[in-house]
Amino acid sequence: MSYNQSLGDLLQNRNLSRRQFIKVCCALTGMLGLSPSMLPEVIARAETRPLVPVIWLHGQACTGCSAAFLNAGEPSAAEAILNIMRLEYHGLFSAASGVELEHHREKVMREFRGNYLLIAEGAVPAGDQGYFCSVGGVPYGEILKAAAKQAAAVLAIGSCAVWGGIQAARPNPTQAAATQQVITNKPVVKIPGCPPIPEVIAGVVLHYSLFGQLPALDSQGRPTRFFGKTVHAGCSRKSFFEAGQFAEYYGDKGAKAGWCLYKLGCRGPSTFNSCAALGWWQGLSNPIQAGSPCIGCSEADFWDDDPISGFDVQG
Ligand code: SF4
């Protein structure tokens, strides 16, 4: 990929017609929560502004965030959006590995000093001098600090990177910490979720690529556009909540009829995320739609505060 390639260049190289390019820009404008009147500006910026390079690091994680990102599905506007990230380094996706790949990361850090985005997936272990998680013999925390120092901004993606996740759950044997506990001198955008919604990650990266700045963040550092409302606010079962119609047990009459899952421990009312609005796999479904209560995976400490495990599922 050319170092000055814009989104327009990239899509043109993939033989997308002008009409399809405009469709992608329309989808992008909507996804970023911009006014339709901004469409001409989005098109102009998409045609001219070079995509921002991205380095994607892995700490203590199951790699589920990366796996979710890969589930782009069939060609569509959403697929195009998910694949337009200029990913320069990723421990799993990159074709190269070992020393070659680490050298490439260092080269990107040098050549794009202050101008690349750093994505951090997974928690950061402080125990055993950080060696509970290391790459090439270097503790992840050290790699993270060095890469963050020269980045324009850091995106902590997934609940492990944002809150510490299951690694930080009691008794936290590796002394796992969240990204922002380690990176304190750089903006850290928090995109929690287990896993986080791929379109949200791509949306934040593209917003920075197009406008040269991060999207609006809430008081916890989460993008307001995607974390400004509770799951409950957009839930397809909300009318049943308001009518007092609740499933009491898995598989009962209410569960089969699609009633509210609040009595099964649903945390939608206190969980901020876009699962209901964006859905998963190009909006195909989301956990509540599929019959599972929201477990609040994007909220802090949800592993230590599990609402589901105490429920009787047999009736
Ligand atoms: S299923 Fe959960 S999110 Fe949906 S209406 Fe009921 S309590 Fe709210």
Side-chain angles (χ1 to χ4, degrees):
M1 181 186 291
S2 154
Y3 273 180
N4 290 315
Q5 199 164 32
S6 68
L7 175 56
D9 296 332
L10 185 68
L11 296 179
Q12 204 171 29
N13 291 347
R14 293 184 183 178
N15 295 323
L16 252 71
S17 65
R18 176 77 183 162
R19 186 183 176 83
Q20 287 170 309
F21 170 66
I22 301 291
K23 272 178 79 176
V24 170
C25 289
C26 285
L28 196 50
T29 304
M31 193 181 79
L32 297 179
L34 303 172
S35 156
S37 64
M38 291 280 288
L39 180 59
E41 188 177 342
V42 169
I43 293 171
R45 288 173 179 268
E47 283 176 321
T48 54
R49 287 187 64 95
L51 290 167
V52 173
V54 174
I55 292 176
W56 187 320
L57 299 179
H58 288 86
Q60 289 176 297
C62 70
T63 330
C65 306
S66 293
F69 197 81
L70 276 182
N71 285 334
E74 76 224 52
S76 64
E79 191 265 351
I81 288 168
L82 291 175
N83 284 306
I84 50 186
M85 187 184 290
R86 182 178 160 186
L87 197 51
E88 289 286 343
Y89 173 98
H90 188 289
L92 292 179
F93 300 167
S94 299
S97 62
V99 174
E100 275 182 19
L101 184 59
E102 296 309 306
H103 283 174
H104 181 67
R105 174 174 57 78
E106 288 161 5
K107 184 176 168 208
V108 173
M109 285 164 55
R110 266 196 317 275
E111 293 188 6
F112 294 94
R113 196 185 188 94
N115 291 311
Y116 63 85
L117 291 177
L118 177 66
I119 290 182
E121 176 180 350
V124 193
D128 197 22
Q129 299 178 309
Y131 281 102
F132 280 117
C133 180
S134 58
V135 178
V138 183
Y140 170 63
E142 299 306 313
I143 296 172
L144 177 67
K145 280 184 207 162
K149 194 174 173 187
Q150 297 168 34
V154 180
L155 277 61
I157 65 147
S159 291
C160 299
V162 173
W163 311 121
I166 192 168
Q167 292 77 217
R170 290 186 292 270
N172 192 357
T174 64
Q175 297 172 42
T179 306
Q180 68 278 4
Q181 290 177 279
V182 178
I183 307 301
T184 53
N185 57 354
K186 194 69 70 174
V188 176
V189 181
K190 295 181 194 155
I191 305 177
C194 187
I197 298 174
E199 284 87 345
V200 176
I201 302 170
V204 172
V205 171
L206 281 167
H207 190 284
Y208 190 84
S209 275
L210 293 179
F211 297 98
Q213 60 186 31
L214 296 170
L217 305 177
D218 67 12
S219 59
Q220 294 195 42
R222 302 172 298 190
T224 312
R225 160 70 178 151
F226 302 108
F227 292 91
K229 291 184 181 163
T230 61
V231 171
H232 178 76
C235 181
S236 56
R237 298 178 190 243
K238 197 170 163 208
S239 58
F240 295 108
F241 177 92
E242 285 163 354
Q245 291 177 300
F246 301 100
E248 303 276 344
Y249 303 104
Y250 290 101
D252 72 2
K253 179 184 83 171
K256 286 176 184 162
W259 290 0
C260 174
L261 304 173
Y262 187 70
K263 291 190 176 178
L264 291 175
C266 184
R267 288 199 155 185
S270 57
T271 300
F272 289 79
N273 208 337
S274 294
C275 303
L278 287 178
W280 292 80
W281 304 287
Q282 288 100 62
L284 178 68
S285 189
N286 66 65
I288 290 174
Q289 201 176 328
S292 165
C294 168
I295 61 171
C297 72
S298 51
E299 295 298 313
D301 299 328
F302 92 99
W303 286 105
D304 279 333
D305 196 15
D306 175 11
I308 305 295
S309 58
F311 278 79
D312 176 6
V313 296
Q314 298 301 319

